[in-house]
Amino acid sequence: MKIALLLPRSVIYPSLSFDIMDGFKSALKKLGTSENHEIVTAGIGVGGNDKEIHDCCEQLLLNGTDIIIAYVNPLTAEFIQPIFESAGKLLLVLDSGYHFQTFDKILSNVYFISLEGALCSRAIVRKAFDEGQNNFAFTCSFYDAGYRAPYTFSTAVEDKGGTVNYTHVTPLQRADINLQPLEQFLEENQDASLFTSFCGDMAEDFFRESAKLKNVASRKTYGSGFTAEELWISKIPYPGYNWSCAVPWSASTSNKENEDFVAVMTNIKEQKANVFSLLGWEAALFIDALNGSSLDGAVIDSPRGKVYMNPNTRSSEAPVYYATVTKNEETGNCRLENITEAHDLAEERERLHHHILAIKETTSASWFNSYACLES
């Protein structure tokens, strides 16, 4: 079988494409099927040019490719889907979960392996309410504001009868970051907690500056999945306070498959076990689970637990984990501790789907590039 990987680039995660590839190849080797496949790759920039990605896929399919694995957003998947249907070939989308699809039907010949970023956001909102919080400020980077995190947080809070009374967006230029307006709001609203959505070095900027401000540093803080992504968290100096998050996976997730995954990846390179190599690893497991050309109802034993391919959405459903971001005493930086599965998320999935459909026809601004993929 000939398999192509469409790999983006990112200055935030310069190893992103290599991690996906290493995860994919390592899983094939562990399965004992690596010799059964021919693997080719193609670069797709930051994953934001649909026409170029379409042309790339078309050429690969014409050259006999059976399956294309691509780290792209759902809108791009919808754009390129017709050529897969015409060719009778399969597209596996590796998805961050920070975009929303505009289609309300399944796409033939397309499956999504998702990190479920939006579901993680809803899960951490539920945890905040479970802890007695119902009044919030929301802060995110200019970059994150171009995705669906602000909408997800606000609708999740509204569903539970709470309010987001203040939204703070950091400037486009990281050097211009200014948390004083947020500090002032929290000074005047002592009962407000904080939701955060940042990515990579932008998360580092936020927590560095938050450590300098009394009110920001003293409030209960809750973060999205990528805000607490371990590859970057381990580089961020501990800000002097713990905060809560919901993540799709952690290197400390307790199961045999994760122990094997982390061991294999770490043997290649330190910090090679991450969410991107995880996506590549899962892509190999799903290919191994193919029934003809279908993955409907397939279940794989993943490093993050059992992952189910929902035949009604053709998108993967996986466990989500709560964690505490605290201090790594050895490095002085951040780390994840207290990893526990967030149970009973069916209602959160249902409400998320409701809110996705609610803005399906709404015109809104959005970045086109795949989440976490940026030029310099």
Side-chain angles (χ1 to χ4, degrees), residues 316-376:
S316 66
E317 296 182 0
V320 167
Y321 296 90
Y322 292 135
T324 302
V325 179
T326 186
K327 185 177 182 178
N328 184 329
E329 296 295 342
E330 294 182 4
T331 66
N333 293 340
C334 295
R335 62 174 295 173
L336 295 187
E337 289 186 349
N338 306 321
I339 315 297
T340 58
E341 185 175 346
H343 294 288
D344 303 321
L345 291 177
E347 183 179 354
E348 300 302 337
R349 291 183 187 278
E350 182 181 332
R351 293 302 297 168
L352 175 59
H353 183 64
H354 166 82
H355 289 298
I356 290 173
L357 295 180
I359 61 166
K360 185 167 67 73
E361 305 296 339
T362 302
T363 301
S364 59
S366 174
W367 306 128
F368 295 113
N369 50 310
S370 303
Y371 187 78
C373 297
L374 278 172
E375 304 278 10
S376 58

Side-chain angles (χ1 to χ4, degrees), residues 207 210-211 217 237-242 327 332 334:
F207 288 107
S210 73
Y238 179 67
Y241 60 92
N242 291 358
K327 185 177 182 178
C334 295

Side-chain angles (χ1 to χ4, degrees), residues 92-205:
L92 286 184
V93 177
L94 309 182
D95 173 40
S96 66
Y98 278 73
H99 293 266
F100 288 168
Q101 70 269 25
T102 58
F103 47 90
D104 56 3
K105 62 183 187 306
I106 62 172
L107 298 180
S108 64
N109 301 75
V110 181
Y111 291 92
F112 294 85
I113 304 172
S114 180
L115 294 175
E116 300 187 289
L119 182 65
C120 289
S121 296
R122 285 198 64 98
I124 198 59
V125 169
R126 189 182 74 175
K127 180 174 176 60
F129 274 82
D130 288 345
E131 294 179 350
Q133 310 303 309
N134 59 17
N135 178 26
F136 304 95
F138 172 75
T139 181
C140 70
S141 66
F142 187 90
Y143 181 71
D144 276 67
Y147 295 93
R148 296 307 183 194
Y151 178 76
T152 302
F153 274 110
S154 63
T155 51
V157 170
E158 289 168 6
D159 280 349
K160 292 172 172 52
T163 54
V164 177
N165 287 311
Y166 183 75
T167 298
H168 172 266
V169 180
T170 58
L172 173 61
Q173 298 297 324
R174 290 174 50 215
D176 297 332
I177 188 171
N178 177 15
L179 301 187
Q180 283 299 333
L182 178 61
E183 172 76 358
Q184 183 63 36
F185 172 82
L186 295 174
E187 172 70 29
E188 297 168 357
N189 296 266
Q190 292 294 320
D191 64 336
S193 300
L194 189 61
F195 286 128
T196 63
S197 185
F198 292 88
C199 180
D201 51 8
M202 291 165 277
E204 182 175 4
D205 294 340

Side-chain angles (χ1 to χ4, degrees), residues 49-69:
N49 190 318
D50 288 354
K51 184 179 184 306
E52 288 184 1
I53 294 171
H54 180 281
D55 292 346
C56 180
C57 289
E58 185 175 50
Q59 191 59 52
L60 287 166
L61 293 173
L62 287 171
N63 288 339
T65 301
D66 299 292
I67 299 174
I68 292 181
I69 302 166

